[in-house]
Amino acid sequence: MTDDLRSAGTPTLEDVARAAGVSRATVSRVINGVRNVDPVIQEAVRRAVAHTGYAPNRAARSLVTRRTDAIALVVSGAGVESGPADSARTSGADPAEAGEPDSGSAFTAQVFADPFFGRVVTGVVNYLRPRGMHPVLMFAETSRAREDVVSFLRQGSADGALVVSTHAEDPLPGLLTDAGLPAVLYARPARPVRISYVDLAHQDGARLAAEHLLARGCRRIATISGPLDVPAGQERLAGFRDTMTRLGHPYIPIAEGQFTQESGEAAMERLLVEHPDLDAVFAANDLMAVGACHVLREHGKRVPEDVAVIGFDDSSAASACRPPLTTIRQPVEAMAAEMARLLIERLAKPDGAATSVIFEPALVVRDSA
């Protein structure tokens, strides 16, 4: 900032206009993101903003643009009823022991314990921050909480929503689209909803896992699936079974998990009781694979010498596991950033059609298989 501007007080639009050699109206259009401004003029205004130290008044700007530059990042995790038993299912707790006052805290604790959600936040923040936008974290684990999210957006407290749903019957995506509110979903919805989303080619990832285990010479292979009422759980199981069948192995023992380490441990215990001679396990996420490794060690089985283990996601749990997990990489940060990009695109073109972006998985070979 120049000495003249310092002495004059807080820089104004007029100061920026004089420094850029354009009108005040042009400066306003550039700062408010109006598209049809010559790129050369945009750059001149940006240089003038940096030179003068001008900081837009967000409150005043929002009156003009009707934008807050805030985005609701919503983690939604309950079904239609959202009672104590429903919250307990999401958190992995015993429904008989789950009381209504504790259901929200249990859900929140589960979210922060799962490395997946941290990766989503990283991807969203890294995309929004350089664009002067900021996420507002919200939880929607009950019907009241979902109503609060819809009301928050209707009141203009945020420009749109990025939704990560952990429950197949989650009504929130439908509530948002019925209300005409801009939103983008992480992962394909279980039921048809006119909403944009990003997702992974889950079946292709499971195929990579099956091919790798067979290439290692494993033949007595089992799988710990994800919850089978969730599209990702269904698709990872379908891709694994289909590949194994095509390669001559039509029978695959299955134990269903819930994408938590505890459920992976329980599933591995069941598989060992029923199939004590198995030599490989594909778990549908890394947390369940970590749980499987713990149980195998407790039963005196070496990983990978006695039983090879493959996870899915390539989360921090995979590299922290001992031995480090071979896994299928889901580029969560890039997917979350794309989710944010799609929402900003929707804000610019409110009448645009819903779209989807599907990312490709990759095999990451470490020591467990």
Side-chain angles (χ1 to χ4, degrees), residues 11-343:
T12 66
L13 281 178
E14 286 77 7
D15 295 325
V16 176
R18 280 194 296 271
V22 298
S23 69
R24 183 185 187 281
T26 297
V27 172
S28 178
R29 290 168 66 203
V30 172
I31 290 174
N32 289 322
V34 176
R35 287 175 171 267
N36 59 341
V37 179
D38 186 277
V40 175
I41 295 176
Q42 291 185 41
E43 182 58 30
V45 171
R46 292 192 185 101
R47 286 198 302 268
V49 167
H51 173 69
T52 60
Y54 174 76
N57 184 314
R58 286 188 177 274
R61 178 182 173 186
S62 67
L63 289 175
V64 176
T65 65
R66 296 190 178 183
R67 297 280 177 84
T68 65
D69 289 337
I71 299 296
L73 176 55
V74 186
V75 183
S76 182
V80 176
E81 296 303 320
S82 69
D86 196 36
S87 294
R89 180 197 177 283
T90 304
S91 66
D94 183 348
E97 298 176 356
E100 184 64 30
D102 295 328
S103 61
S105 59
F107 176 73
T108 304
Q110 182 205 3
V111 168
F112 284 117
D114 191 332
F116 166 80
F117 295 105
R119 296 176 67 191
V120 170
V121 172
T122 297
V124 168
V125 170
N126 287 348
Y127 188 86
L128 293 179
R129 182 186 292 166
R131 292 161 177 82
M133 306 181 78
H134 307 280
V136 177
L137 183 61
M138 304 183 75
F139 295 96
E141 77 283 5
T142 65
S143 57
R144 174 63 182 272
R146 289 192 292 273
E147 291 170 5
D148 288 345
V149 170
V150 173
S151 177
F152 187 78
L153 291 165
R154 275 181 166 158
Q155 292 169 4
S157 299
D159 299 327
L162 302 172
V163 181
V164 182
S165 181
T166 64
H167 196 290
E169 299 301 322
D170 183 7
L172 182 60
L175 292 174
L176 293 171
T177 55
D178 289 346
L181 296 167
V184 178
L185 188 62
Y186 191 109
R188 175 172 60 88
R191 295 183 179 181
V193 178
R194 195 182 299 275
I195 189 170
S196 295
Y197 64 86
V198 301
D199 206 348
L200 187 76
H202 297 283
Q203 294 198 32
D204 290 345
R207 172 181 56 79
L208 294 173
E211 291 173 347
H212 182 72
L213 290 175
L214 290 173
R216 280 182 57 90
C218 301
R219 293 297 179 266
R220 300 179 301 280
I221 303 172
T223 184
I224 300 173
S225 76
L228 295 180
D229 60 350
V230 174
Q234 296 167 359
E235 292 182 17
R236 292 176 192 184
L237 177 60
F240 191 76
R241 294 179 71 179
D242 180 68
T243 302
M244 294 295 292
T245 298
R246 288 172 180 268
L247 296 176
H249 299 270
Y251 174 67
I252 303 298
I254 300 166
E256 184 178 358
Q258 297 298 322
F259 285 147
T260 65
Q261 181 173 327
E262 294 77 12
S263 70
E265 292 172 353
M268 191 70 251
E269 292 280 8
R270 294 196 300 272
L271 287 172
L272 285 176
V273 168
E274 298 170 6
H275 307 277
D277 63 340
L278 59 80
D279 63 3
V281 176
F282 165 55
N285 84 337
D286 291 338
L287 287 177
M288 294 192 300
V290 169
C293 287
H294 286 176
V295 169
L296 289 168
R297 283 197 298 271
E298 289 174 356
H299 284 262
K301 293 184 179 291
R302 300 168 299 165
V303 177
E305 292 85 355
D306 300 322
V307 181
V309 178
I310 293 185
F312 201 114
D313 285 338
D314 194 25
S315 66
S316 59
S319 54
C321 183
R322 293 295 174 265
L325 278 176
T326 292
T327 186
I328 305 302
R329 176 159 179 76
Q330 177 176 196
V332 176
E333 294 86 354
M335 294 169 69
E338 180 64 13
M339 183 169 58
R341 188 194 69 79
L342 289 176
L343 181 60

